[in-house]
Amino acid sequence: MTVETSSDLVLRVEDLHKAYGANEVLRGVSCQLARGETKVVIGPSGTGKSTLLRCINQLTIPDSGHVWLGDTEVTCKECDINAVRAQIGFVFQDFNLFTHLTALENVRIGPMRVKKMDRASATRLAHEELERVGLADKADAHPAELSGGQQQRVSIARALAMFPQLILFDEPTSALDPELIGEVLTVMISLAREGMTMLVVSHEMGFARSVADEIIFMEGGVILEHGPPSQLFTNPREARTKEFLHKITELYGE
């Protein structure tokens, strides 16, 4: 794993813990993400992957540990969390679009309200980001008029319109029919190759193999193993990693 200087690091997570009663969801998770990297977090359900993402932007407050976005400690009590969240895109598995707004309005609302961009500039930006995700012709459509894959691509365009330092993806294809998954993954692959900094929770092993700089395998609230795809997929150190990858390959055929 390459050692980065602090100026290269977009994200640092140190010793995160989170429990709900007796259920320890995160048990000392540490990781980091350099500018332009894509890391994919894999592991069985209920192992803390989504909680990790939510702790990074404080949608869930960790019990202990530290998170930095660049040089700003997100977990510091004095942190302006709204300012930090404006720099972290979050793409959820269930889209989270405003159903009463068009695709363009969903993308435009953040730059206008958070970044105080004027309406004309925000509209131009929204059109550009919708075109970037292949939805230039759907600007005036409401979410109910879009397929699940199109809604997720609007969600990605909405995140991109905020010019984030980092985008978090929480199982972005899990709510999609199989034939719609590819259109979302194509956009994500393009973003990775453009150098967008991304932390992705996913079971899409083909995506992970093709674009991830590092795979992080979590189980039981800890990072059991991490490494480049070439190592993790062909010669995992941990027997549990090997077992999980075998099972998920059988299930998804990748």
Side-chain angles (χ1 to χ4, degrees):
M1 187 173 174
T2 303
V3 177
E4 309 287 349
T5 64
S6 60
S7 61
D8 295 322
L9 292 178
V10 173
L11 176 70
R12 286 185 292 150
V13 175
E14 290 187 3
D15 198 27
L16 275 191
H17 289 256
K18 180 64 183 179
Y20 297 97
N23 181 21
E24 292 184 87
V25 182
L26 297 178
R27 299 188 295 123
V29 172
S30 300
C31 60
Q32 62 186 37
L33 202 60
R35 197 172 315 282
E37 277 191 317
T38 295
K39 295 193 179 184
V40 178
V41 185
I42 64 173
S45 297
T47 200
K49 305 183 301 295
S50 294
T51 300
L52 171 61
L53 296 193
R54 293 177 65 86
C55 285
I56 287 171
N57 77 340
Q58 301 289 278
L59 288 173
T60 295
I61 305 301
D63 297 327
S64 62
H66 304 276
V67 177
W68 284 267
L69 182 69
D71 295 326
T72 300
E73 185 179 352
V74 178
T75 41
C76 175
K77 289 182 179 179
E78 292 75 28
C79 174
D80 182 349
I81 191 58
N82 290 325
V84 169
R85 285 178 181 151
Q87 301 177 64
I88 301 177
F90 205 131
V91 177
F92 300 85
Q93 57 184 286
D94 53 0
F95 318 139
N96 277 13
L97 298 176
F98 294 109
T99 58
H100 65 292
L101 300 180
T102 66
L104 185 141
E105 290 165 341
N106 266 283
V107 177
R108 183 176 66 187
I109 191 170
M112 288 179 64
R113 291 194 176 180
V114 178
K115 294 190 174 294
K116 308 304 180 185
M117 190 177 291
D118 66 81
R119 186 182 184 88
S121 297
T123 299
R124 283 194 299 271
L125 174 62
H127 278 297
E128 290 170 3
E129 297 302 349
L130 286 172
E131 183 174 3
R132 189 175 179 184
V133 299
L135 292 174
D137 60 335
K138 298 295 184 181
D140 296 327
H142 286 81
E145 300 172 288
L146 301 172
S147 70
Q150 290 169 336
Q151 289 184 61
Q152 193 61 290
R153 285 187 282 155
V154 173
S155 298
I156 295 172
R158 180 178 59 183
L160 292 170
M162 296 296 289
F163 302 107
Q165 291 193 49
L166 163 70
I167 302 183
L168 307 174
F169 291 84
D170 187 10
E171 294 280 10
T173 61
S174 65
L176 301 179
D177 293 333
E179 66 268 21
L180 301 177
I181 290 172
E183 64 189 56
V184 174
L185 292 180
T186 296
V187 170
M188 293 173 64
I189 289 167
S190 177
L191 292 177
R193 289 174 177 166
E194 289 172 12
M196 176 62 67
T197 308
M198 306 195 299
L199 184 61
V200 183
V201 170
S202 181
H203 58 251
E204 300 291 345
M205 296 298 105
F207 168 81
R209 188 188 296 271
S210 63
V211 301
D213 296 289
E214 183 176 68
I215 309 292
I216 296 170
F217 176 61
M218 285 185 66
E219 184 170 57
V222 299
I223 294 175
L224 197 62
E225 184 170 357
H226 63 86
S230 57
Q231 179 261 310
L232 211 76
F233 283 116
T234 59
N235 190 30
R237 295 187 303 272
E238 302 290 335
R240 182 66 186 101
T241 310
K242 185 175 182 179
E243 179 187 10
F244 174 81
L245 289 172
H246 177 71
K247 286 182 177 179
I248 205 163
T249 298
E250 281 189 335
L251 181 61
Y252 293 103
E254 292 179 339

